[in-house]
Amino acid sequence: MPVKGLGDYDTTNIFARILRQEIPSRRVFENEHAIAFHDIAPQAPVHILVIPRGPYISLADFTAKATDAEIAGFFRAVATVARDLHLEAPGYRILSNMGEHAGQEVPHLHVHLFGGRVMGPMLASSEESR
Ligand code: 5GP
């Protein structure tokens, strides 16, 4: 079910459990404010999820409550992962789903980082999408 609205942070969500290492993930990066790990169902040759360590549901939640250091640390993590995985030169895509219309499934802010092939159109096209 897509995430609806903001509400309270659900401490049992799957990414909270990954952060606490209650369930395994294939981490590729961590700093004081963020971790990055392989998506369990990759949609590109490289598909990494970057998440803040703090309990934030959405970008609105994050930018309202996080410190400047957390915000900088998170976005630096995204760029560092792309660079470390040698995606700067060929290019890559980042994407973040927010709420119901975007189909956000996990109620912990995350950025998808896709690479390793030409990404194609930015959005799936359909008559209904216009
Ligand atoms: P969303 O749809 O919320 O933007 O993306 C959630 C992402 O989390 C999906 O791409 C999904 O494959 C990934 N995901 C869901 N459960 C797990 C898990 O247990 N481990 C990992 N590594 N990724 C997960």
Short mmCIF file of all heavy atoms in Angstrom, two decimals, residues 3 14-15 18 23-26 37-43 47 49 95-98 102-108 110 112, ligand 1:
data_model
loop_
_atom_site.label_atom_id
_atom_site.label_comp_id
_atom_site.label_asym_id
_atom_site.label_seq_id
_atom_site.Cartn_x
_atom_site.Cartn_y
_atom_site.Cartn_z
N VAL A 3 2.25 4.92 0.79
CA VAL A 3 2.21 5.75 2.00
C VAL A 3 1.18 6.85 1.81
O VAL A 3 1.11 7.47 0.76
CB VAL A 3 3.60 6.37 2.22
CG1 VAL A 3 3.58 7.37 3.36
CG2 VAL A 3 4.63 5.28 2.45
N ILE A 14 10.34 -1.04 7.21
CA ILE A 14 11.44 -1.92 6.80
C ILE A 14 12.79 -1.20 6.81
O ILE A 14 13.82 -1.81 7.18
CB ILE A 14 11.13 -2.56 5.42
CG1 ILE A 14 11.97 -3.79 5.17
CG2 ILE A 14 11.27 -1.58 4.30
CD1 ILE A 14 11.45 -5.02 5.79
N PHE A 15 12.81 0.08 6.47
CA PHE A 15 14.10 0.79 6.45
C PHE A 15 14.58 1.12 7.87
O PHE A 15 15.78 1.12 8.13
CB PHE A 15 14.04 2.05 5.58
CG PHE A 15 13.86 1.77 4.11
CD1 PHE A 15 13.57 2.79 3.22
CD2 PHE A 15 13.98 0.48 3.60
CE1 PHE A 15 13.40 2.54 1.87
CE2 PHE A 15 13.81 0.21 2.24
CZ PHE A 15 13.52 1.24 1.38
N ILE A 18 16.19 -2.01 8.81
CA ILE A 18 17.50 -2.12 8.15
C ILE A 18 18.53 -1.24 8.87
O ILE A 18 19.67 -1.65 9.11
CB ILE A 18 17.37 -1.78 6.65
CG1 ILE A 18 16.73 -2.97 5.92
CG2 ILE A 18 18.73 -1.41 6.04
CD1 ILE A 18 16.41 -2.72 4.45
N ILE A 23 17.27 -6.56 10.14
CA ILE A 23 17.24 -7.37 8.92
C ILE A 23 18.42 -6.95 8.05
O ILE A 23 18.87 -5.80 8.11
CB ILE A 23 15.91 -7.26 8.15
CG1 ILE A 23 15.63 -5.83 7.73
CG2 ILE A 23 14.75 -7.80 8.96
CD1 ILE A 23 14.46 -5.74 6.78
N PRO A 24 18.94 -7.91 7.27
CA PRO A 24 20.17 -7.62 6.53
C PRO A 24 19.94 -6.74 5.32
O PRO A 24 18.83 -6.67 4.77
CB PRO A 24 20.63 -9.02 6.09
CG PRO A 24 19.41 -9.87 6.10
CD PRO A 24 18.47 -9.28 7.11
N SER A 25 20.98 -6.04 4.92
CA SER A 25 20.98 -5.31 3.65
C SER A 25 22.42 -5.32 3.14
O SER A 25 23.35 -5.56 3.91
CB SER A 25 20.50 -3.87 3.84
OG SER A 25 21.44 -3.13 4.60
N ARG A 26 22.56 -5.06 1.86
CA ARG A 26 23.90 -5.01 1.26
C ARG A 26 24.33 -3.55 1.22
O ARG A 26 24.11 -2.86 0.24
CB ARG A 26 23.88 -5.65 -0.13
CG ARG A 26 23.63 -7.16 -0.08
CD ARG A 26 23.29 -7.71 -1.46
NE ARG A 26 24.30 -7.38 -2.44
CZ ARG A 26 24.05 -7.14 -3.73
NH1 ARG A 26 22.80 -7.16 -4.18
NH2 ARG A 26 25.03 -6.87 -4.56
N PHE A 37 22.29 1.28 0.45
CA PHE A 37 22.31 -0.18 0.28
C PHE A 37 21.59 -0.55 -1.00
O PHE A 37 20.80 0.24 -1.55
CB PHE A 37 21.65 -0.88 1.49
CG PHE A 37 20.30 -0.35 1.86
CD1 PHE A 37 19.14 -0.94 1.35
CD2 PHE A 37 20.16 0.75 2.69
CE1 PHE A 37 17.89 -0.44 1.68
CE2 PHE A 37 18.91 1.26 3.02
CZ PHE A 37 17.77 0.66 2.52
N HIS A 38 21.86 -1.76 -1.49
CA HIS A 38 21.23 -2.24 -2.72
C HIS A 38 19.73 -2.45 -2.51
O HIS A 38 19.31 -3.04 -1.50
CB HIS A 38 21.85 -3.56 -3.18
CG HIS A 38 23.24 -3.41 -3.72
ND1 HIS A 38 23.49 -3.13 -5.04
CD2 HIS A 38 24.45 -3.50 -3.12
CE1 HIS A 38 24.79 -3.05 -5.24
NE2 HIS A 38 25.41 -3.27 -4.09
N ASP A 39 18.93 -2.02 -3.49
CA ASP A 39 17.50 -2.32 -3.48
C ASP A 39 17.31 -3.83 -3.64
O ASP A 39 18.01 -4.48 -4.41
CB ASP A 39 16.79 -1.57 -4.62
CG ASP A 39 15.29 -1.54 -4.43
OD1 ASP A 39 14.64 -2.61 -4.59
OD2 ASP A 39 14.74 -0.46 -4.14
N ILE A 40 16.34 -4.37 -2.93
CA ILE A 40 16.11 -5.82 -2.96
C ILE A 40 15.53 -6.29 -4.30
O ILE A 40 15.67 -7.45 -4.66
CB ILE A 40 15.19 -6.24 -1.79
CG1 ILE A 40 15.38 -7.71 -1.44
CG2 ILE A 40 13.73 -5.90 -2.07
CD1 ILE A 40 14.75 -8.11 -0.11
N ALA A 41 14.92 -5.38 -5.03
CA ALA A 41 14.31 -5.71 -6.33
C ALA A 41 14.79 -4.71 -7.37
O ALA A 41 14.04 -3.81 -7.77
CB ALA A 41 12.79 -5.70 -6.22
N PRO A 42 16.06 -4.83 -7.80
CA PRO A 42 16.65 -3.78 -8.64
C PRO A 42 15.92 -3.59 -9.96
O PRO A 42 15.52 -4.55 -10.61
CB PRO A 42 18.08 -4.28 -8.86
CG PRO A 42 18.08 -5.73 -8.51
CD PRO A 42 16.98 -5.92 -7.51
N GLN A 43 15.77 -2.33 -10.34
CA GLN A 43 15.11 -1.99 -11.60
C GLN A 43 16.10 -1.44 -12.63
O GLN A 43 15.70 -0.90 -13.66
CB GLN A 43 13.99 -0.97 -11.34
CG GLN A 43 12.89 -1.57 -10.45
CD GLN A 43 11.70 -0.66 -10.31
OE1 GLN A 43 11.27 -0.02 -11.27
NE2 GLN A 43 11.16 -0.57 -9.11
N HIS A 47 21.05 -0.22 -8.64
CA HIS A 47 19.85 0.36 -8.00
C HIS A 47 20.12 0.40 -6.50
O HIS A 47 20.03 -0.62 -5.81
CB HIS A 47 18.60 -0.46 -8.31
CG HIS A 47 17.33 0.14 -7.77
ND1 HIS A 47 16.09 -0.38 -8.06
CD2 HIS A 47 17.10 1.21 -6.94
CE1 HIS A 47 15.16 0.33 -7.45
NE2 HIS A 47 15.75 1.30 -6.76
N LEU A 49 19.54 2.42 -2.71
CA LEU A 49 18.67 3.28 -1.91
C LEU A 49 19.54 4.04 -0.91
O LEU A 49 20.39 3.43 -0.24
CB LEU A 49 17.65 2.44 -1.15
CG LEU A 49 16.67 1.67 -2.02
CD1 LEU A 49 15.93 0.61 -1.19
CD2 LEU A 49 15.67 2.61 -2.67
N LEU A 95 15.80 9.45 -7.94
CA LEU A 95 14.34 9.56 -7.92
C LEU A 95 13.89 9.35 -6.49
O LEU A 95 14.46 8.53 -5.77
CB LEU A 95 13.77 8.47 -8.84
CG LEU A 95 12.27 8.29 -9.01
CD1 LEU A 95 12.00 7.64 -10.36
CD2 LEU A 95 11.68 7.42 -7.91
N SER A 96 12.89 10.08 -6.07
CA SER A 96 12.36 9.90 -4.73
C SER A 96 10.85 10.00 -4.78
O SER A 96 10.30 10.99 -5.27
CB SER A 96 12.95 10.97 -3.80
OG SER A 96 12.64 10.68 -2.46
N ASN A 97 10.19 8.96 -4.32
CA ASN A 97 8.73 8.93 -4.33
C ASN A 97 8.20 9.49 -3.02
O ASN A 97 8.64 9.09 -1.94
CB ASN A 97 8.23 7.49 -4.50
CG ASN A 97 8.54 6.94 -5.88
OD1 ASN A 97 8.35 7.63 -6.88
ND2 ASN A 97 9.04 5.72 -5.94
N MET A 98 7.24 10.42 -3.15
CA MET A 98 6.68 11.07 -1.97
C MET A 98 5.18 10.86 -1.98
O MET A 98 4.47 11.40 -2.84
CB MET A 98 7.00 12.56 -2.05
CG MET A 98 7.63 13.17 -0.82
SD MET A 98 9.10 12.35 -0.24
CE MET A 98 10.23 12.68 -1.59
N ALA A 102 2.87 9.30 -5.89
CA ALA A 102 4.16 8.79 -6.40
C ALA A 102 4.32 7.30 -6.11
O ALA A 102 5.26 6.68 -6.60
CB ALA A 102 5.31 9.57 -5.79
N GLY A 103 3.43 6.73 -5.30
CA GLY A 103 3.52 5.30 -5.00
C GLY A 103 4.58 4.96 -3.96
O GLY A 103 5.13 3.86 -3.97
N GLN A 104 4.85 5.90 -3.04
CA GLN A 104 5.83 5.61 -1.98
C GLN A 104 5.35 4.43 -1.15
O GLN A 104 4.25 4.47 -0.60
CB GLN A 104 6.03 6.85 -1.09
CG GLN A 104 7.06 6.63 0.02
CD GLN A 104 7.22 7.87 0.92
OE1 GLN A 104 6.54 8.88 0.73
NE2 GLN A 104 8.11 7.78 1.89
N GLU A 105 6.19 3.40 -1.06
CA GLU A 105 5.80 2.19 -0.34
C GLU A 105 6.36 2.16 1.08
O GLU A 105 5.74 1.58 1.97
CB GLU A 105 6.32 0.94 -1.09
CG GLU A 105 5.75 0.77 -2.48
CD GLU A 105 4.41 0.04 -2.49
OE1 GLU A 105 4.01 -0.46 -1.44
OE2 GLU A 105 3.79 0.00 -3.57
N VAL A 106 7.56 2.71 1.25
CA VAL A 106 8.21 2.63 2.56
C VAL A 106 8.21 4.03 3.18
O VAL A 106 8.74 4.98 2.59
CB VAL A 106 9.66 2.10 2.42
CG1 VAL A 106 10.32 2.03 3.79
CG2 VAL A 106 9.67 0.73 1.74
N PRO A 107 7.63 4.17 4.37
CA PRO A 107 7.46 5.49 4.98
C PRO A 107 8.70 6.00 5.71
O PRO A 107 8.63 6.43 6.87
CB PRO A 107 6.27 5.29 5.92
CG PRO A 107 6.42 3.87 6.37
CD PRO A 107 6.95 3.12 5.17
N HIS A 108 9.84 5.89 5.04
CA HIS A 108 11.10 6.47 5.52
C HIS A 108 11.73 7.09 4.28
O HIS A 108 11.94 6.39 3.27
CB HIS A 108 12.00 5.38 6.12
CG HIS A 108 13.29 5.91 6.71
ND1 HIS A 108 13.57 5.86 8.05
CD2 HIS A 108 14.36 6.51 6.12
CE1 HIS A 108 14.77 6.40 8.27
NE2 HIS A 108 15.27 6.79 7.10
N HIS A 110 13.65 8.16 1.21
CA HIS A 110 14.73 7.48 0.50
C HIS A 110 14.87 8.02 -0.91
O HIS A 110 13.88 8.41 -1.53
CB HIS A 110 14.52 5.96 0.45
CG HIS A 110 13.16 5.52 -0.01
ND1 HIS A 110 12.05 5.59 0.80
CD2 HIS A 110 12.73 5.03 -1.20
CE1 HIS A 110 11.00 5.13 0.14
NE2 HIS A 110 11.38 4.79 -1.09
N HIS A 112 16.21 6.81 -4.60
CA HIS A 112 16.67 5.72 -5.46
C HIS A 112 17.78 6.27 -6.35
O HIS A 112 17.63 7.36 -6.91
CB HIS A 112 15.54 5.25 -6.38
CG HIS A 112 14.36 4.66 -5.69
ND1 HIS A 112 14.12 3.30 -5.60
CD2 HIS A 112 13.32 5.25 -5.05
CE1 HIS A 112 12.99 3.10 -4.96
NE2 HIS A 112 12.47 4.26 -4.61
P1 5GP B 1 9.31 3.28 -2.89
O1 5GP B 1 8.27 2.60 -3.73
O2 5GP B 1 8.83 3.49 -1.48
O3 5GP B 1 9.88 4.51 -3.52
O4 5GP B 1 10.55 2.30 -2.86
C1 5GP B 1 10.74 1.30 -1.90
C2 5GP B 1 11.87 0.42 -2.38
O5 5GP B 1 12.29 -0.37 -1.31
C3 5GP B 1 11.49 -0.52 -3.53
O6 5GP B 1 12.31 -0.28 -4.67
C4 5GP B 1 11.72 -1.92 -2.93
O7 5GP B 1 12.22 -2.84 -3.86
C5 5GP B 1 12.68 -1.63 -1.80
N1 5GP B 1 12.60 -2.56 -0.69
C6 5GP B 1 11.46 -2.98 -0.08
N2 5GP B 1 11.77 -3.84 0.92
C7 5GP B 1 13.13 -3.95 0.94
C8 5GP B 1 14.03 -4.68 1.75
O8 5GP B 1 13.66 -5.42 2.65
N3 5GP B 1 15.36 -4.56 1.47
C9 5GP B 1 15.81 -3.73 0.47
N4 5GP B 1 17.14 -3.68 0.28
N5 5GP B 1 14.98 -3.03 -0.32
C10 5GP B 1 13.65 -3.13 -0.09
#
